[in-house]
Amino acid sequence: MVIRQFSQRFSILSNYFGAFNASAFLLGARGYVSQAVNFSPRNSLKILAALRSGDYGQATERYLQVDGEYYDSVGKLFGEGYQGEGNFIKACMRLVGIDCGPARPPH
């Protein structure tokens, strides 16, 4: 397995969805990628701490509280034909009091 073989030589980040992050950490991942960190950084840091300490149940529970809700909503909109996460992230940022303007069009 690539993660096991190279985890001591470089950091491997999980880009899995939700509870699958625990699987990556069991194999040696050291971090994870989440769009929710933009508007819920404290929760994301708690998820990371739980993953690093091996408390995968708590990490999954915290993930479902914020990230899960975000990805459920994004998934529904993708199902309706919307594309890209920029607009969704910007809207969430505005909801937490950080207005960072509209998403830029693709280049």
Side-chain angles (χ1 to χ4, degrees), residues 8 18-20 22-23 32 35 53 62 65 71 73 75 81-82 86 95-96:
Q8 298 307 312
F20 295 113
S23 299
Y32 78 105
Q35 300 302 334
S53 71
R62 286 195 164 280
Q65 287 174 351
Y71 285 112
S73 299
Y82 292 92
L95 288 172
V96 297

Side-chain angles (χ1 to χ4, degrees), residues 26-107:
L26 284 167
L27 296 171
R30 296 182 185 167
Y32 78 105
V33 177
S34 169
Q35 300 302 334
V37 73
N38 291 291
F39 51 85
S40 182
R42 287 187 184 117
N43 191 58
S44 296
L45 287 172
K46 288 177 182 176
I47 292 169
L48 181 60
L51 287 167
R52 287 183 173 169
S53 71
D55 191 348
Y56 304 123
Q58 181 182 355
T60 301
E61 185 178 317
R62 286 195 164 280
Y63 175 87
L64 292 173
Q65 287 174 351
V66 176
D67 297 57
E69 186 73 29
Y70 170 78
Y71 285 112
D72 284 349
S73 299
V74 169
K76 288 175 187 172
L77 292 170
F78 281 4
E80 295 176 13
Y82 292 92
Q83 296 178 346
E85 286 188 61
N87 289 322
F88 307 118
I89 295 167
K90 300 270 187 162
C92 290
M93 296 292 288
R94 197 171 309 120
L95 288 172
V96 297
I98 303 170
D99 188 356
C100 47
R104 293 181 301 206
H107 296 284

